[in-house]
Every structure is written in structure tokens, then in C-alpha cells.
Amino acid sequence: MFDTLFKSNGKKVKYMGMVNIRKYFEVCLGSYYNPKTEYVVLWYGKIYYYRRRKTVQVYFLNSTTKKQVVVGVSIKSILKLPIGSIWVDGICEEKYDFETLYTTLDAYNDKQQERPNLTYTNHFGISANKGDYILEPDNYPVDDIKTDSNTNLVVQTGNTKIVIPSVLFFVAHYGVSKEINKVLISYHKEEAEERLNINDNYGDLITIPDRCVIADAVFLFYLKTNSYTKKVVWNLNSRMLRNDRQYLSLMAQPYHKQEIQLKILGLKIDDQTILCTEILGMSMPQGSEIEYRIDKPNSATYGEGVEPQTLKFQPIYNTIESDEIILEAQRDANNITTAVVRHRIEQIGKIRALVKSEDLTLDEVIDTCNSKVVRLPQHEPNTFSDGEDGNANGDIGRIQVLVESGAIHPIKNNFERLLRYAQDLKVTSGYSPVVIDCVNLANDNIFIGETVHGMHIAQYDSSVEVVFVMRLSFEKHGLFYIFDCQKKGSQTSGIVIKVANEDIFIRDAIRRILSQLFRNNGRLADVSEISGFSTIKYFKHTNGESSNWVKTAIDNWLQVVN
């Protein structure tokens, strides 16, 4: 069942799990453990005590026997064990690469006291009350899933529900270092506050605990100052430590009220349900700069009577159009700002660990860091506006500032935006499901997947330099081809064509369209030879945070039909 489901939704790709969990297999499976066998992660179960430590039940499929086994794994390792990852001899070098999806948790509505598109599901409660499952056990038959008492998140996107395992959301959302997760499920409120320096009598100033990282300042600031965050987090803490039970059920709600953007990998369970197998990116709450310092003041670290240096941390998080998260912190005596661009949460942890265990200076840490590190100019503006352009009061675009400083790579051109906008439709009500293929006519197989590739024609002296073609196959709306041109010094509007007979279109029309676009300044001068493929519509490259050019293109055509 799982072999068929995984293979139909993704292919095996190389993946470094960055952790060795052989000891967990040996402890839990004993002589039944075969280190040469492939064990595939299926599910995250309850949290339980093992040798006075909180451990997560991880369900694996033994690829040889096709039986499931349960292995207790440290909560700090969960992000390195995505569903579909394959473990041999305790290490992971492959995983199933499922579809990349983008989704958003709506902002919290104070009047309704909920996020409009977020609900929760609990298999144990549904089984007890004989209700309807959202993640149907027959379609995803993990052992004991009917009695699994974790409360998982459900994001409604049109007719599709995305199920996010609560354990996965908890470790990805509650802080950056996994120390915070460990503290919240291991210690009662008073001790947890002490370990996280919440009640240190320094007001809004955040003192970063010893095993945490600078980026944890965001979560710690909310936990220290925000009443909603305190209610959510300490309710979770209370449930996890109630009566010191051996097995504990987790319900992890978003700790703040702002909108949350997610980039995930999704496994399609049925026509209405997607299981989130891995969280690739998550936005953090926006706000004013957060003042922080490192470690508690003590004579061993700072000298008798010497206070630690106070620093400031301002989260500058662009939308997750890439895997990058940008951190800005003033770190040295010259007040020079360092930005660290990271692709995975654990990379920030490595930087902090190097400083602590090897007593390295910041410059020495940067020299040994594989992440991209960029020194930002000292005189950046104090306020930023969303998007690339300045807004009405003259603030400079956040993304543009980072691009100009070299901290991030820009979206190079409108072609990349078109692909991203098309990918957004995968989780947009009324448009999903959709299959996306970019086109390269130089290949024997002209469909090259979700990879931007512009096409050139050398024989014309044209103002059009490159043409990008993308194929969109909608289950509901049919087949569309989108053409977009890059001109010298400017961009044209794009073209959308509804294709009725794709074989004829590819054989007779697509090259003629390209030829016309190159010859006629990005426009179609003669549509007679392709008029049989239905109405041809144009769309503009509209600026704005909410604009989606691909959706606009499809809507333009649908309006003609309707």
C-alpha cells in the first residue's frame, strides 16, 4: 500500500538526514533490527517518557517484510526525519520527493476566535465518537492511527484539506533551536520560564538561553510579552505535563495571531486530502526590532559585576519564494550587521554550537560556515515595505534592500514569477489540481517540468530576446499554454491560449507562435492560423502583493467562456 502510494506521488532523490538514529532502532527493536533493511518514515505518534526523557514515536515501514515498526526518537531529530525518508543502518541518504506546495494559515480573527481556514483533527476522538475522518485510515493505514490522540492541524484550501502532523508543526514553529521544544514538553511552567529566561526582570529585553540561538529571540519575545502567546504555549505545556503520564498527546496551535506562510512537501492521499510530509519554510511574525543579549550575566562569563553586551535583532523575513530566511543582527563593536541566509533550520544551530564549544569568535565561525554570509551596510533604513518597490511614504522595499546588499538572490525575471504563480494555483480553490510543465522545443521531450527555460531564435534581429512557454493542465478548466516575452529594456504583456487539440497545437502552431512573437515585438499579428485553438487573451505584469499573473490569465479566458 505505502510503496504504491509513495511511488505514485514522488520519486526517490538524494537526501542527507544529518543525524544517525541507529541507537534508537537498536534500543526499540533489539534483535529484530536489521541494519541493512530500508526503513521508511510513515507517521509521528505520541510523545512518551523513556529514561526520564520525552521521546516521539516514529512509525517506519520495513521495506523487506512490509511490516510497520515503532521507534522512539528524540524530538530534536524530528525535522531531520520527514515522512518518506529512507533509513539504512541508522542514516538517511534518500527520500521520496513529494510535490512542493505553498499554503497560508489565515490571520487569527479575534471576533470569531479562530483562523478561518484552520481546524484540527484527532483520530482518537473521531473513532470514539464514530465521526468522519479527514485523514481516512483506510487510505493511509498506519498501525494504531485510529487511536492516535495527537491533534493535527487541517488547512482548508478550496476543496482540499492539508493535514499537518502536530509534532511536525510544533518543532518547526515553536522557536528555531529545538531546545525550546524540549523545555516546553519536559518542565513545568515555573522551571520552563527559568530555563528560557522569561521572568528575568529585564522587561522586553530577551536573554538568549545557553542552548538556544539568536533567532529564538522572536519566539521568546512573544512568550515574554504577548498574552495570547502565553495562553497558547502554557496550555500546551500544562497538557504535556499533566499527571506525568507515560504517553502524552500533543496539540500545537500557532503561537501568534499573524498570517503564516508555509512551503511544504505534500503527499496526495485522495482527491480531497493532502498529508504534509515536510515543512520546508515558514514565515515568522513581523514586528519592531527585538532587543536581546547572549546568556545570563555571570562572573565566569563576563567578569564580576560586568553586564553582557546588549544587542538588537530585527527579523527581516521575505516571503518564502525560496528556502531562504534572512536574519539581521548587529554583532560587533563597529556596529556592522551580519546577515545569515540559511536553507535548513539546523544550520543556525551549527553556528551557535561552534561559538559555544570551540570558543570561536564570530569571524572564525563565519569562516567555517557553509551558509552564505553577507555583511550588510551599516546605514540600512529602519522601516521596510513589503514587495520590491517603495510604498507611498517612501520606505524602501524589504526584498530590494536585501537584493542590493547581496544577502539574497532576486527573482531574476518575470519568467520565474510566472512559474511561482502557477505553483500557487496548486493549492488555490477552484484551480487545483493542476500539472505544470515548462517547455523547451530544443529537447526531444519538450516538457521539462517545473524548470524555467527561455527560448531564443538567432535568425531574427528582434527586440524580443527570450520567450518563455509554460503548459498548465487543469482538471477543471482544461489545457492552457502561456507565452511570455523578455524584451530589451522592458517586458511585454503575456499571452494565454486555451488548447483544444494538443497534438495539432504542438505539431503545427507552437513554433509559428514563437516566430510571430520574435518578429512582431512580442505580439501576435496574425491569429488566423491558431484561431482554432479557442480565444487568445493577454495579461499584464501587474505589481502588487496579491497579484497572480497566471491566475489573471486563466480568469481572462474563463470570463470569455462564461
Side-chain angles (χ1 to χ4, degrees):
M1 165 71 184
F2 288 106
D3 284 344
T4 302
L5 181 64
F6 285 3
K7 289 177 181 178
S8 64
N9 277 270
K11 61 182 179 180
K12 288 184 179 180
V13 296
K14 291 184 178 180
Y15 175 78
M16 298 301 294
M18 304 294 290
V19 66
N20 190 322
I21 59 172
R22 176 166 177 156
K23 64 180 180 180
Y24 298 122
F25 279 105
E26 291 174 341
V27 167
C28 295
L29 303 185
S31 60
Y32 292 100
Y33 175 56
N34 183 351
K36 296 182 180 180
T37 292
E38 290 185 349
Y39 292 88
V40 185
V41 176
L42 301 178
W43 187 249
Y44 313 109
K46 292 189 286 290
I47 296 172
Y48 70 100
Y49 278 110
Y50 178 74
R51 294 181 180 177
R52 301 183 66 182
R53 294 183 179 181
K54 296 290 177 62
T55 307
V56 179
Q57 291 180 318
V58 179
Y59 287 75
F60 291 85
L61 177 70
N62 182 317
S63 295
T64 302
T65 65
K66 305 304 179 185
K67 293 183 178 180
Q68 297 177 35
V69 298
V70 181
V71 177
V73 177
S74 167
I75 195 165
K76 290 187 174 184
S77 299
I78 290 300
L79 284 178
K80 303 180 182 73
L81 280 79
I83 292 173
S85 58
I86 302 166
W87 298 80
V88 180
D89 197 19
I91 62 175
C92 176
E93 295 182 346
E94 282 187 314
K95 71 171 183 177
Y96 285 96
D97 191 29
F98 302 120
E99 185 175 15
T100 300
L101 301 170
Y102 296 85
T103 190
T104 299
L105 306 188
D106 290 341
Y108 185 85
N109 186 308
D110 285 312
K111 186 175 181 180
Q112 298 176 357
Q113 295 191 338
E114 64 179 9
R115 292 175 183 261
N117 71 335
L118 177 64
T119 56
Y120 299 88
T121 183
N122 182 297
H123 280 89
F124 178 82
I126 294 173
S127 298
N129 297 320
K130 295 181 170 45
D132 296 325
Y133 297 102
I134 294 177
L135 181 62
E136 177 59 54
D138 290 340
N139 294 338
Y140 199 73
V142 173
D143 290 349
D144 306 321
I145 195 170
K146 290 184 178 181
T147 57
D148 182 2
S149 55
N150 285 340
T151 300
N152 304 305
L153 292 81
V154 181
V155 186
Q156 184 76 46
T157 58
N159 295 324
T160 302
K161 293 181 172 67
I162 300 176
V163 178
I164 305 176
S166 58
V167 172
L168 185 59
F169 186 79
F170 176 58
V171 295
H173 181 56
Y174 280 56
V176 174
S177 71
K178 299 308 104 192
E179 180 67 15
I180 288 177
N181 304 131
K182 174 187 171 184
V183 168
L184 291 179
I185 66 172
S186 301
Y187 302 100
H188 289 283
K189 180 176 182 288
E190 292 74 14
E191 187 171 356
E193 287 179 326
E194 181 179 354
R195 287 176 176 269
L196 298 177
N197 299 332
I198 299 301
N199 293 331
D200 57 3
N201 297 320
Y202 282 95
D204 292 350
L205 175 65
I206 300 301
T207 303
I208 306 295
D210 182 36
R211 291 186 175 88
C212 292
V213 298
I214 292 173
D216 285 324
V218 180
F219 176 83
L220 295 173
F221 177 81
Y222 274 78
L223 184 57
K224 191 175 187 179
T225 65
N226 186 278
S227 59
Y228 177 80
T229 302
K230 292 178 181 180
K231 176 183 176 182
V232 169
V233 172
W234 297 127
N235 280 346
L236 179 149
N237 172 261
S238 176
R239 289 193 302 269
M240 296 306 295
L241 292 160
R242 189 168 48 217
N243 301 324
D244 288 334
R245 294 177 300 176
Q246 183 178 6
Y247 291 94
L248 303 157
S249 304
L250 179 66
M251 179 178 180
Q253 299 171 281
Y255 70 79
H256 60 83
K257 293 184 177 182
Q258 294 184 28
E259 176 184 278
I260 299 174
Q261 300 175 50
L262 288 167
K263 179 181 180 182
I264 67 171
L265 293 184
L267 172 62
K268 185 176 181 180
I269 305 300
D270 54 48
D271 289 340
Q272 295 182 326
T273 311
I274 293 173
L275 173 63
C276 170
T277 62
E278 186 174 0
I279 295 176
L280 300 177
M282 181 183 295
S283 62
M284 283 190 181
Q286 299 293 303
S288 58
E289 63 183 19
I290 296 169
E291 202 169 11
Y292 77 94
R293 60 183 182 179
I294 306 296
D295 297 331
K296 296 180 182 179
N298 61 74
S299 58
T301 304
Y302 301 102
E304 194 66 42
V306 178
E307 290 285 301
Q309 181 185 6
T310 297
L311 307 167
K312 289 185 177 181
F313 170 69
Q314 183 174 1
I316 305 179
Y317 297 93
N318 61 321
T319 58
I320 48 177
E321 293 177 349
S322 67
D323 294 337
E324 299 168 337
I325 298 178
I326 313 303
L327 305 181
E328 180 186 47
Q330 296 173 349
R331 292 297 301 270
D332 60 22
N334 296 321
N335 206 29
I336 294 177
T337 303
T338 298
V340 179
V341 182
R342 61 190 173 89
H343 287 269
R344 303 200 66 79
I345 287 174
E346 60 265 27
Q347 289 185 343
I348 289 292
K350 289 177 181 177
I351 294 173
R352 183 67 179 92
L354 284 170
V355 173
K356 178 175 181 291
S357 62
E358 299 183 25
D359 196 25
L360 300 177
T361 66
L362 176 65
D363 287 336
E364 289 171 326
V365 172
I366 289 174
D367 288 340
T368 61
C369 177
N370 292 325
S371 299
K372 179 181 178 183
V373 177
V374 178
R375 295 284 190 175
L376 294 183
Q378 296 183 37
H379 303 296
E380 295 295 345
N382 293 321
T383 56
F384 299 85
S385 65
D386 289 325
E388 290 195 36
D389 300 321
N391 62 17
N393 62 15
D395 291 342
I396 298 176
R398 165 187 309 149
I399 295 176
Q400 189 63 30
V401 167
L402 294 170
V403 167
E404 290 174 354
S405 68
I408 62 171
H409 298 293
I411 296 181
K412 296 178 181 179
N413 52 48
N414 286 345
F415 303 160
E416 294 183 358
R417 288 172 181 255
L418 282 166
L419 177 57
R420 165 62 200 280
Y421 290 147
Q423 291 168 336
D424 285 346
L425 297 185
K426 292 181 179 180
V427 290
T428 300
S429 174
Y431 298 87
S432 62
V434 56
V435 177
I436 303 168
D437 272 301
C438 301
V439 176
N440 179 11
L441 294 178
N443 288 1
D444 291 336
N445 182 359
I446 67 171
F447 301 117
I448 59 175
E450 297 180 24
T451 302
V452 172
H453 183 92
M455 289 178 283
H456 307 256
I457 295 182
Q459 68 191 76
Y460 297 118
D461 182 15
S462 172
S463 64
V464 175
E465 297 177 321
V466 187
V467 177
F468 172 61
V469 183
M470 183 167 56
R471 174 188 185 271
L472 303 175
S473 179
F474 295 91
E475 184 175 287
K476 182 177 181 180
H477 304 303
L479 183 64
F480 291 84
Y481 275 73
I482 288 179
F483 295 77
D484 203 64
C485 302
Q486 178 179 306
K487 296 172 60 180
K488 295 175 182 178
S490 64
Q491 297 277 153
T492 67
S493 57
I495 300 169
V496 58
I497 299 176
K498 177 71 162 63
V499 175
N501 188 321
E502 187 173 30
D503 290 338
I504 297 176
F505 182 79
I506 292 173
R507 186 185 68 215
D508 297 337
I510 191 168
R511 287 174 173 81
R512 296 178 185 175
I513 295 171
L514 284 173
S515 178
Q516 282 200 45
L517 293 176
F518 278 105
R519 289 197 314 250
N520 299 301
N521 202 30
R523 307 292 286 184
L524 292 179
D526 180 8
V527 299
S528 60
E529 59 191 19
I530 53 175
S531 59
F533 302 108
S534 193
T535 308
I536 299 167
K537 298 294 292 182
Y538 292 90
F539 62 92
K540 295 181 179 180
H541 301 121
T542 306
N543 289 326
E545 190 71 20
S546 62
S547 63
N548 181 323
W549 303 337
V550 176
K551 182 176 180 296
T552 299
I554 304 303
D555 288 347
N556 286 347
W557 188 89
L558 293 176
Q559 288 172 8
V560 174
V561 175
N562 297 330

